[in-house]
Amino acid sequence: MESQFGIVDYVVLAAMLTISSSIGLYFRFSGGRQKTNSEFMYADGRLSAFPLACSLMSSFISAVTILGVSAENYSYGTMFVVNNVAYAIGVLISTFLFVPVYFNAGVNGAYQYLDKRFGKATRLTGSVAYSFQMVLYMGMALYAPALALETVTGMSKFYAILGVGLICTFYSTMGGLKAVVFTDVFQSLIMYAAVMSVIVVAWIEKGSLSEIWRIAESHGRIEFNNFSLDPTVRHTWWGIILGGTITNLAVYSVNQGQIQRYISAGTLKTAQNSLLLNWPMLSCLSLLTSFAGLAIFSKYARCDPFMTCKIDRSDQLMPYFVVNSMQHIPGLSGLFVSGIFSAALSTISAAMNSMAVVTLEDYIKPLYKKMRGKSFPEHTSLYAKLVSVMYGFVCVFFAFIADGLGSVLQVSLTILGVVGGPTVGLFTLGMVFPTANQPGALSGFITSLLITFWLGFADKPAPIKLPTFSDGCPETTFGNMTLPQLDCSSALNTKRSPDEYFYLYRLSYMWLSVFGFVSCVVVGLVVSWVRNIFGKKSLKRPDPSLFIPPVAFYLKRKYQINERFLEETVSGKSCL
C-alpha cells in the first residue's frame, strides 16, 4: 500500500504534538511548578467540571476505540452501538452511587478505600490486579496508533511506538495531572475532527448520508434487534447491556485514573457534574465512530480490502480508507493521524499518571515507612515523576508484543473485562453489603480473577464476520494480460469450527465481566457469612460513610433506632 503523507500532513501532525508537549511545559513552569505530590497527582483539587469532563471522555475513548469500533461496525454490523445504553447506565450509577462514597470516606484513591473498608491485604491485592490490567491495556492503546501511522505514512511501527511513548511520557511527567487534563481538552477536539473527516469524505463521495446508510443496510450491516439469550452469540442486547454496564463501571466507578480526577475536582458536586457532562461527549463520539465504520463500508462494499490482500487486520480499515480517499486533500491525512495520536496520548497519559499514584501510595510509601521508620516525604514530586517515566518504558515494551494478540477492540475489552468485572464485584461487596468482610472480599476477588483469566485467555473460536465481496474490484493489467484481483478470503478462515471448542470457550467476550462480577459477589458473600458465624472476633459496626448513599442512609437510621431503644431501655430501668 503506497503512502503519500505530504508536507502539510506532517505539519499538522507536528503542530498537534508540539501543542500537547507545550501544555506539559506550561504547567511545569507555572503555578506551583509540580513540586509537590498534591499538585502533580491531584492538581491541588482545583480543576473545574468542563476540562475534567473532556479528560474523562478522552481517557476512555482511546485509539483502540476509534480504530476498533469503526472496524466493528464494518465487519460485524451495528449491534455494538447498543453499548451507548450501557454508557448511560454506567455513568448514572457511578455519579450517584459510587462517586459520593470516595468523598464521604475522605480517601484519595480507590485502593485507599479498600484499606479503610476491608484492610491492607485487600488494598494490595486490588492494586496489583489494577497494575497488571493497566500495563496490558496501555500496551494495546499505544500499539493502535502505531498501526495507523504505519499504514498511512509507511513509518515503521517500531519508530511510531517509540515516538508516541516518549512524547506521552514527556508531557505527563513534566506537567502532572494538570497537563494531562488540559491536553485532553485539546486532544478531544482533534479526535472529533479526525472521525468527522472520515465521514465527510465518504459523504461527498457517495452524495448523501442516506446513501451510506442504504449501502450498509442492503449488505446486512444494520442490526439493533438481537435479543438472543445465547451467551455464545457475540453481541446481543443482554450481553452488551450487562457486560457493557459492568465494564463501564470498571472504568468510571473503580478505576484509579478516573477517581483521581474526581478528587482533583475538590468537591463532590463538581466531580458529579464532570461525569454527567462527559456522558453526551462520550456517546456522541462513539456514535460518530460507529457511523464512520459504515462510511468506510460504503466505499468497500463490493471490493473488500481483506479479500484482496490489501490489509490483514481489521484495525487497518480506517487508515487504509485514509490512504485511498483522503490523501489528495492536503492536511486531511495529517488530521486523521493526529486524531489517532490524540486518542492514544490521552489514554496512556491518564494511565501513566494513575499508575504513578498507585505505585507511590500502595507500594513505595508503605515500604519506605517499614524500612525507614518514618513517613514518606510529601514535599517533593520527584519520585512520582520517576515512576511515571518507568511506566512510559513499560508501556512501550508491551506495545511491541501486542502485534499477535488480535483485534485491538476485542483484546482491549477482554483485558478490561477480565480484571474489571471482579474489581467492580470487590467494590460492590464493600460499598453495598455491610456484612462483607476481608476474608470474603479476598476469596471472592481471587476466585473471580481465576475464572475470568481462564475464560478470557483460553483458545477461542474466531468470530464470524458478515459476508464481504470482491466482485466490484477493478482488474489489474500486466503487459497484455488482464489479471483478476487476488482472493485471500480462504486464508482468513483457517481456524477450527466453533462447535469443536469447549462450550465455555465459545462465550462472548462481553460476558466475561458479568461472570467476574457475579462470582466475586456470590463467593464473597458466602465466605463472609461463614466467617461472621464461626469467626471468633466480634463484629464491628460498619461506618456508614463507606457505603453508597441508600445503604448509608439505612445504616444511619438503624443506628439511630438502636440508640434510641437503648436510651429508652436504660431510662426505664433507672426509673425502677
Side-chain angles (χ1 to χ4, degrees):
M1 180 170 23
E2 184 179 353
S3 170
Q4 298 175 351
F5 205 68
I7 295 176
V8 177
D9 298 309
Y10 279 111
V11 169
V12 172
L13 178 58
M16 185 279 293
L17 296 176
T18 301
I19 293 173
S20 296
S21 299
S22 299
I23 293 173
L25 285 172
Y26 172 78
F27 285 109
R28 169 62 181 85
F29 296 106
S30 65
R33 301 188 177 185
Q34 309 301 316
K35 291 182 178 180
T36 65
N37 283 332
S38 176
E39 184 179 17
F40 183 78
M41 297 188 296
Y42 300 103
D44 288 330
R46 296 177 181 177
L47 294 178
S48 57
F50 179 75
L52 276 177
C54 293
S55 185
L56 290 171
M57 184 273 293
S58 60
S59 59
F60 183 89
I61 298 286
S62 64
V64 168
T65 311
I66 293 178
L67 297 182
V69 170
S70 58
E72 168 69 32
N73 284 263
Y74 180 104
S75 300
Y76 302 100
T78 55
M79 267 305 298
F80 192 73
V81 172
V82 176
N83 198 39
N84 285 277
V85 179
Y87 288 157
I89 297 171
V91 166
L92 291 174
I93 292 175
S94 300
T95 302
F96 297 107
L97 295 182
F98 280 83
V99 174
V101 177
Y102 299 109
F103 282 87
N104 294 336
V107 296
N108 289 326
Y111 305 105
Q112 188 180 349
Y113 167 82
L114 290 180
D115 193 350
K116 271 194 168 187
R117 176 64 178 88
F118 293 121
K120 296 189 185 305
T122 307
R123 174 179 184 169
L124 184 60
T125 305
S127 64
V128 168
Y130 171 77
S131 300
F132 176 80
Q133 176 195 38
M134 293 311 297
V135 163
L136 290 180
Y137 186 73
M138 282 194 297
M140 291 302 299
L142 180 53
Y143 173 74
L147 188 68
L149 196 64
E150 180 187 52
T151 305
V152 176
T153 70
M155 179 187 292
S156 165
K157 280 199 291 280
F158 177 85
Y159 294 109
I161 288 172
L162 279 180
V164 179
L166 291 176
I167 291 169
C168 189
T169 302
F170 172 76
Y171 79 73
S172 300
T173 304
M174 293 293 290
L177 185 62
K178 287 181 184 177
V180 171
V181 169
F182 283 96
T183 307
D184 286 348
V185 176
F186 166 68
Q187 290 170 348
S188 298
L189 300 175
I190 303 297
M191 289 159 59
Y192 268 101
V195 175
M196 284 299 301
S197 68
V198 172
I199 295 174
V200 170
V201 168
W203 181 358
I204 295 172
E205 187 173 303
K206 294 301 174 183
S208 67
L209 297 177
S210 60
E211 178 62 11
I212 293 174
W213 187 271
R214 186 198 66 77
I215 294 172
E217 190 171 30
S218 66
H219 289 80
R221 260 58 187 177
I222 308 302
E223 181 189 18
F224 299 108
N225 61 347
N226 193 330
F227 291 94
S228 172
L229 294 175
D230 184 357
T232 65
V233 177
R234 190 167 184 271
H235 286 153
T236 68
W237 267 85
W238 310 111
I240 293 175
I241 295 298
L242 293 175
T245 296
I246 293 173
T247 299
N248 291 320
L249 288 176
V251 172
Y252 285 117
S253 296
V254 300
N255 182 284
Q256 171 62 34
Q258 308 295 53
I259 293 167
Q260 194 176 335
R261 283 161 172 70
Y262 305 148
I263 301 302
S264 70
T267 66
L268 172 60
K269 189 67 176 177
T270 303
Q272 289 178 314
N273 287 340
S274 67
L275 190 48
L276 291 174
L277 188 57
N278 143 84
W279 171 18
M281 294 180 184
L282 177 67
S283 288
C284 183
L285 187 55
S286 173
L287 292 171
L288 287 173
T289 306
S290 298
F291 192 80
L294 302 183
I296 295 169
F297 182 80
S298 71
K299 183 177 181 67
Y300 302 122
R302 308 305 301 186
C303 186
D304 180 63
F306 286 104
M307 299 187 73
T308 55
C309 303
K310 299 296 184 183
I311 58 176
D312 55 12
R313 293 178 61 102
S314 61
D315 313 305
Q316 294 173 309
L317 271 167
M318 187 178 275
Y320 180 74
F321 176 85
V322 172
V323 171
N324 274 189
S325 303
M326 296 169 62
Q327 290 194 341
H328 65 286
I329 306 175
L332 266 191
S333 296
L335 179 63
F336 167 78
V337 172
S338 296
I340 299 299
F341 261 61
S342 295
L345 290 170
S346 59
T347 301
I348 297 167
S349 61
M352 284 172 53
N353 198 268
S354 66
M355 287 294 292
V357 173
V358 168
T359 303
L360 200 64
E361 296 288 341
D362 295 346
Y363 310 144
I364 295 178
K365 285 186 178 181
L367 187 62
Y368 183 92
K369 188 170 185 178
K370 187 174 183 180
M371 295 179 64
R372 302 292 296 271
K374 58 182 180 180
S375 298
F376 189 82
E378 297 289 345
H379 61 276
T380 176
S381 61
L382 174 63
Y383 300 101
K385 293 175 181 178
L386 290 175
V387 172
S388 292
V389 172
M390 179 194 72
Y391 279 114
F393 287 110
V394 170
C395 175
V396 169
F397 170 77
F398 276 94
F400 281 125
I401 65 175
D403 194 30
L405 297 180
S407 163
V408 292
L409 179 66
Q410 182 162 332
V411 171
S412 299
L413 288 178
T414 299
I415 292 170
L416 291 176
V418 161
V419 180
T423 303
V424 175
L426 176 63
F427 278 82
T428 300
L429 282 171
M431 296 184 180
V432 178
F433 299 99
T435 57
N437 52 39
Q438 178 156 265
L442 284 173
S443 300
F445 187 55
I446 293 172
T447 301
S448 60
L449 282 176
L450 292 174
I451 292 173
T452 54
F453 268 87
W454 167 49
L455 295 178
F457 295 106
D459 182 28
K460 295 186 173 187
I464 301 173
K465 296 182 178 181
L466 294 173
T468 53
F469 305 90
S470 61
D471 57 342
C473 296
E475 294 178 327
T476 57
T477 302
F478 182 76
N480 295 323
M481 299 176 62
T482 300
L483 303 175
Q485 288 281 356
L486 293 174
D487 188 346
C488 300
S489 56
S490 60
L492 300 175
N493 298 295
T494 57
K495 288 198 173 185
R496 293 180 289 161
S497 165
D499 294 335
E500 298 179 41
Y501 289 82
F502 177 51
Y503 178 79
L504 290 178
Y505 296 165
R506 304 203 307 266
L507 294 175
S508 168
Y509 70 99
M510 293 300 298
W511 286 93
L512 270 178
S513 57
V514 180
F515 275 74
F517 172 79
V518 172
S519 58
C520 180
V521 172
V522 170
V523 173
L525 289 177
V526 170
V527 173
S528 294
W529 177 73
V530 172
R531 174 69 176 178
N532 289 336
I533 290 179
F534 298 102
K536 296 180 180 180
K537 293 183 179 180
S538 59
L539 294 178
K540 293 182 179 180
R541 190 166 80 168
D543 181 357
S545 68
L546 301 177
F547 296 88
I548 61 173
V551 177
F553 177 78
Y554 163 77
L555 289 175
K556 289 176 182 177
R557 288 284 298 168
K558 179 181 177 181
Y559 297 159
Q560 289 175 354
I561 292 172
N562 289 343
E563 287 170 1
R564 191 180 304 121
F565 175 77
L566 287 173
E567 289 176 359
E568 291 175 354
T569 303
V570 170
S571 62
K573 286 183 178 180
S574 62
C575 291
L576 293 174

